[in-house]
Structures are given as structure tokens and as C-alpha cells.
Amino acid sequence: QRHNDPFADDPFFQDPFAAIRQRRQQQQQRQQEQQATQVTDINKDLFIKVHVDKNKVHVGEQITTSYKLYARVPMNMSISKLPSLNGFWTQDFQLPKNQKPVEELVDGKKFQVFTLKKSALFPQQAGTLILDPAEAEGVARIIQQVRQRNPFADMFDNDPFFQQAFGGSLMMNDPFFNDNFFNTLAYKDVPVHLKSKPVQITVMALPENGKPADFGGAVGNFTISSKIDKTELTTDDVANLTLTITGSGNLKLIEAPALRLPNGMDGYDPHIMDTITGRTTTISGSKIITYPVAVQTPGDYEIPSVSFSYYDPAKNAYTTLQTEPVRVSVKPGKNHHAGTQPYRIAAIGDIHDIDQEPLAAEQPETAPVVFTVTYWSAYGIPLIAFLAFAVYRKREEELSRDIVKLKHRKARKIALKRLGAARKLLQQEQRIPFYEEISKALWLYLSDKLSIPLSELSRERAAAELRGHEVPDALWQEVKDLMDDCEMTLYAPAQSTQQMQHTYGQAVQVISNLEETFKS
């Protein structure tokens, strides 16, 4: 401090440390400005970008989207928020477990590119849909230039001996001695939060011109085939007609084609199984639909051909395919009861010998058969059964015509079927298909039970509707936890079988609790 300096009042004295302190302050200021510039410019060297193969599609047409991380600096990043894909049905592609980055040029600069997420999106409604951003957090390591003091420069600058002795001529043209600072490199880790830009998708409605009456929402490119497990059976048997739809597109959203049976044949609810075999550039595989068929009356029957229609975006046209009709021969089974045989009228020549035995004692008079309980029971019970069956069939037809009520009534049954499929995937330790099936069972159950189209169903909408049905907040929290579990485990490291079993049990419990709440 100047007041303690004995030379403070000496006008001829110059503090030898003043210049050093000034240079130090200037150095610190330059370093701070350089660090601020490097942190600001980190977004030019590290960012997330969304790639889509098309921005204009039809309803149900596949969009392939990839979320990629571009880096020119060392970093350690992880996904902190997954995109919420409202209005889309999504199928995620399988990424390599130990994927290596690829090199890409962006504006003439080389970047190391990592694929964070790759999905096939199927829009479920027309209009303008937005792909929400994906977010990631982590640490990036930036390189800094640190300038350190050059003692040799100070020596030549401040020492009058060297200035007078060498007159400033010795080694003064050497940049090492001229420069007051050394340039050295240092590293600094800075926290980084990345967020991709939203992407706008224009979705067009499927054309009405040429749309077949039996169109069930299939969009893509498909083939069909059918087979029956037996063509000769009895009235005690059940035959299984299997329809296989194979191709690429929105396989899991295709409705089962209607099976129209002739009189005398009865059909039951089909069993549907989805098999996804391709997860590289397009979602491809098969949808296997099995129709159980039973026959009550012996005879020869023909099961008509099954019609299946789909929209092909590449051709911008509808295509209708048909299977071959199937002939079935039915024989009476052990439990078959033939109808009453017609009475045979006796011919005139049918005269028997006169019975010579004495007539039996005259029987007491009995009431006419028409007044007996047995007589009326024989006719009344079938009549009552017929009326009850007619009422039941009428109710079923009314429910079938009211799709909303039918889906509401069968929501639990369909959910349990999907959970059964998930259990098989659990036993086979197929992790990603297992969590996809669990997620699908839950979302489709909520869609059917709340009478909300799947394309309009979101967490916010589901929460509002469930509160309207007086579903407890604790149960809604369980639903959200299950949704989060299914979403996050698709991108997390491989889960143990024990964790998958826990998720399966949680799904069964949640759907059962929801069903009990709706009933009450």
C-alpha cells in the first residue's frame, strides 16, 4: 500500500512491481473474455439435431426420425427428456448396444455424430403436427489458451543493465524473448444443456376417392394369405382359419378384416398376434389373425374369401386383396342330436293278425296330454330359451353397431390378451418388444375405456378424464409411473428379468385397479 511505502513521496522513484501487476490484471481480463466466448460458442461445436425422411405425409404413413448428437469437443452427455409424440403412434428402432460415432461434415467442419434415438412415426390425424424437442444434459470439455508471464521479456524490458549494455540489439528480434507471455493450453469442464429444435410435419387425410368400404386403416405395402387347420371336421370340433398380413407399414394399427360366414357356421372373436421382424429403415413384419369357426349342422360349407384393403403411399392409391374361398365338410359329432324324424303313414296293406289274447282291464281315465305339465314343458322351455337367445343376439348386435360401447365393454379383455402376449415376450427375454406390448396394452385400455381416439389421447387428457371418473390420484400416479417405466427402459441399459417381471406385475395390478374403479 502506498501509505506504507517509504518511496511514495519520492518523485524520482518508480515502483518496479506496478507494471507486473498491470500486466497480470490485463491477462486475467483476457482469460475471462476468452472463457466466456468459448462457453457461448459451445453450441456451435455441440448440438442435437432432428432428421426426418419426409415432412409431408398421409395419415398412417411412416415417417423415419432420428435424434442425433453432433460433437467437435470431448463430452459426456445423456438424454434428460424424451420427446412427447402426441398425435403419433411410434415404433422404436433397435440401436447397436455399443454404437460407434460416424463422421459428418457440417458447414465444412468435421463432427462426430451419435444417434440417440431412431423411431418410425405413424401420424393418426390430419393437420399440422409438431415433433417435440429432445433434451440432453452433461459436461463438455473445452480447450483454453492460457498466457503465462515470460521472465526473459521482463528482464530485457525492465533491467537498465541489459538495455544499456546491449542497446536493445541482442536477441530482440527473437519472438520468444520479445513476447511478454507464453501461450499454453488448459482444459475446463463446463455443464451443458442441449435442446433440439421442434420439427413441423404436415399430415394429409387419406383420399376419399376410391376408398373401399372395408378399408380398416392399413397404410403401407402388404400381401395376404390364409389357411385352415382342417377341412374335414365334426360338429364337436372347432376349425381355425388363419389370415396372415405381411409387409411394411402401420402393422399394429390394422383392424382385423370381417369374416362373413354362411348360415350354419358360427364365428368367435379372432386372436391377433403382431410379429415385427424389420427394425432397420422401415417397420415390417406380419399380423396373424386367427378366426375360430364352429359348425352345428352337418353338411358341406364354403367359407367365402376374405377381403383386405390398404392404401399405398408410393402409388397414391388403394389396393384390395382377397383370399381364396375354403370348402369344409362337416359330419355329425358324438354330441350331435338329430332332429325328430317324420312319422311314416301306414299303408293299406299293412294289416296285422288279430290278437287272440283277452283284453286287459280297462284303465282309469286320465287327463288329456295337452293339460299336463310335461306337455307344456316340452314346448315352453325351448320357447323361453329361444326368446332369451333372441334378446341376447339383439343386444350383441346393438353393441356391435355402437363401436364405442363395444370397445368400452371389451377393453379389459383386450388388455389382458396383450398382457398375455407380453408375458410370452418376458419368458423369451425380448426386452424392447416386451415394454412396447405393456405400453400398448395400457394406452389402448385407456383409449377404449375413456372413449377417446388414440390419436387424441395424451397424459393430460387421460388425467382429466380419469379425475372425472373419480379415479384416485394415487392410482393415476401408478399409471404415470408405469408409463415412465416403459418409456425410459427402452433407452436405458438392458434390464434384468426380475425388473421386467416387476413391470409385468405392475401392469396387471394397475389395469385391474382401474377396472374395479370403473365398475364402482
Side-chain angles (χ1 to χ4, degrees):
Q1 297 179 359
R2 299 285 295 176
H3 61 275
N4 294 326
D5 190 348
F7 303 99
D9 297 329
D10 188 346
F12 301 99
F13 179 77
Q14 293 183 352
D15 185 356
F17 300 102
I20 297 176
R21 285 196 298 268
Q22 184 178 3
R23 288 192 183 97
R24 228 173 245 175
Q25 291 175 355
Q26 293 174 351
Q27 177 188 3
Q28 291 176 354
Q29 184 178 358
R30 281 195 298 267
Q31 287 180 351
Q32 290 174 355
E33 292 175 355
Q34 188 177 22
Q35 290 176 9
T37 302
Q38 288 175 332
V39 172
T40 303
D41 293 343
I42 192 67
N43 291 332
K44 297 180 181 179
D45 295 331
L46 185 64
F47 56 88
I48 297 178
K49 190 175 181 181
V50 183
H51 295 265
V52 293
D53 63 342
K54 59 192 80 170
N55 294 88
K56 190 174 182 180
V57 294
H58 285 91
V59 172
E61 183 178 353
Q62 177 178 323
I63 305 166
T64 302
T65 176
S66 301
Y67 292 81
K68 296 183 177 181
L69 174 66
Y70 288 74
R72 294 184 69 237
V73 295
M75 53 77 197
N76 184 11
M77 306 291 297
S78 61
I79 294 179
S80 59
K81 183 179 179 182
L82 295 172
S84 177
L85 302 172
N86 292 327
F88 294 93
W89 181 260
T90 178
Q91 286 277 194
D92 292 309
F93 291 105
Q94 290 180 333
L95 298 176
K97 292 183 178 179
N98 298 314
Q99 63 167 322
K100 296 181 179 180
V102 296
E103 191 174 89
E104 289 187 20
L105 283 177
V106 179
D107 297 332
K109 298 179 180 178
K110 291 183 180 180
F111 282 82
Q112 296 295 312
V113 183
F114 301 83
T115 301
L116 303 177
K117 174 181 169 68
K118 185 177 180 181
S119 304
L121 307 181
F122 300 92
Q124 297 302 292
Q125 62 191 56
T128 301
L129 301 181
I130 302 297
L131 298 184
D132 293 336
E135 299 182 30
E137 291 183 352
V139 175
R141 176 164 290 180
I142 59 175
I143 303 175
Q144 297 177 304
Q145 279 191 351
V146 179
R147 308 193 72 193
Q148 295 181 348
R149 186 70 184 169
N150 188 342
F152 296 99
D154 289 340
M155 179 174 65
F156 283 108
D157 288 343
N158 300 322
D159 195 317
F161 170 76
F162 284 99
Q163 293 290 334
Q164 294 178 2
F166 299 103
S169 64
L170 180 63
M171 297 180 290
M172 295 307 291
N173 292 324
D174 191 328
F176 174 81
F177 291 97
N178 277 340
D179 196 350
N180 292 331
F181 296 91
F182 286 123
N183 289 328
T184 60
L185 297 179
Y187 299 93
K188 181 178 181 181
D189 291 337
V190 295
V192 179
H193 179 264
L194 304 179
K195 186 176 182 180
S196 65
K197 294 181 180 180
V199 177
Q200 182 174 297
I201 303 293
T202 301
V203 184
M204 302 174 291
L206 292 173
E208 294 294 330
N209 185 25
K211 180 185 288 187
D214 63 347
F215 179 70
V219 179
N221 190 7
F222 304 97
T223 61
I224 62 170
S225 62
S226 66
K227 65 178 181 179
I228 193 167
D229 59 351
K230 58 187 76 172
T231 56
E232 295 184 357
L233 62 155
T234 70
T235 54
D236 298 335
D237 297 331
V238 174
N240 292 301
L241 178 67
T242 301
L243 178 69
T244 303
I245 302 173
T246 304
S248 60
N250 58 345
L251 270 169
K252 293 194 174 184
L253 300 177
I254 298 175
E255 297 178 3
L259 179 63
R260 295 175 176 83
L261 297 173
N263 293 332
M265 301 188 78
D266 295 324
Y268 301 93
D269 290 340
H271 177 265
I272 302 174
M273 183 176 67
D274 299 318
T275 303
I276 303 299
T277 57
R279 291 176 181 267
T280 53
T281 56
T282 58
I283 297 297
S284 59
S286 299
K287 192 180 195 74
I288 303 172
I289 308 167
T290 303
Y291 302 87
V293 177
V295 185
Q296 302 297 327
T297 306
D300 293 329
Y301 297 87
E302 181 178 275
I303 301 176
S305 60
V306 179
S307 177
F308 169 70
S309 300
Y310 67 91
Y311 177 77
D312 189 343
K315 298 179 180 178
N316 194 24
Y318 292 95
T319 300
T320 300
L321 306 174
Q322 288 188 331
T323 62
E324 294 294 329
V326 178
R327 293 185 177 276
V328 177
S329 178
V330 183
K331 297 179 180 179
K334 295 180 180 179
N335 298 320
H336 176 70
H337 300 286
T340 305
Q341 298 296 325
Y343 293 105
R344 186 175 67 89
I345 302 176
I348 297 177
D350 293 341
I351 300 175
H352 300 275
D353 295 333
I354 299 174
D355 192 355
Q356 301 296 329
E357 294 183 1
L359 294 175
E362 187 176 349
Q363 299 294 326
E365 289 189 10
T366 58
V369 176
V370 73
F371 295 112
T372 62
V373 176
T374 304
Y375 175 84
W376 286 107
S377 297
Y379 287 92
I381 293 176
L383 179 62
I384 294 172
F386 174 77
L387 291 175
F389 178 74
V391 172
Y392 171 78
R393 286 300 296 269
K394 184 178 180 181
R395 180 173 176 271
E396 287 292 310
E397 290 174 359
E398 290 176 353
L399 285 175
S400 298
R401 286 193 293 268
D402 191 340
I403 300 299
V404 174
K405 289 183 179 179
L406 183 64
K407 287 185 175 181
H408 179 87
R409 188 167 63 94
K410 293 189 175 182
R412 179 176 178 274
K413 182 179 180 181
I414 295 174
L416 291 178
K417 281 186 177 180
R418 293 202 174 277
L419 290 178
R423 184 172 182 80
K424 291 181 181 178
L425 296 171
L426 169 62
Q427 294 170 348
Q428 299 169 3
E429 297 185 359
Q430 298 187 29
R431 185 176 68 89
I432 291 181
F434 167 76
Y435 283 106
E436 288 178 348
E437 202 68 30
I438 292 289
S439 179
K440 188 192 303 182
L442 180 60
W443 280 104
L444 290 178
Y445 174 82
L446 292 174
S447 173
D448 293 342
K449 211 67 180 177
L450 300 175
S451 302
I452 302 174
L454 192 60
S455 58
E456 301 176 10
L457 185 60
S458 63
R459 291 198 181 196
E460 294 76 14
R461 180 83 180 273
E465 292 291 335
L466 289 175
R467 290 192 189 99
H469 285 79
E470 299 182 357
V471 172
D473 291 340
L475 181 53
W476 167 239
Q477 186 60 47
E478 292 180 10
V479 174
K480 288 198 299 183
D481 291 344
L482 180 59
M483 292 176 178
D484 293 339
D485 190 19
C486 291
E487 289 179 3
M488 295 306 297
T489 47
L490 291 175
Y491 311 103
Q495 302 293 314
S496 64
T497 304
Q498 185 177 2
Q499 178 63 30
M500 294 169 65
Q501 289 174 344
H502 172 74
T503 302
Y504 175 79
Q506 184 184 9
V508 174
Q509 188 65 39
V510 165
I511 291 178
S512 299
N513 292 341
L514 286 172
E515 189 70 16
E516 290 298 324
T517 304
F518 281 119
K519 286 182 179 180
S520 61

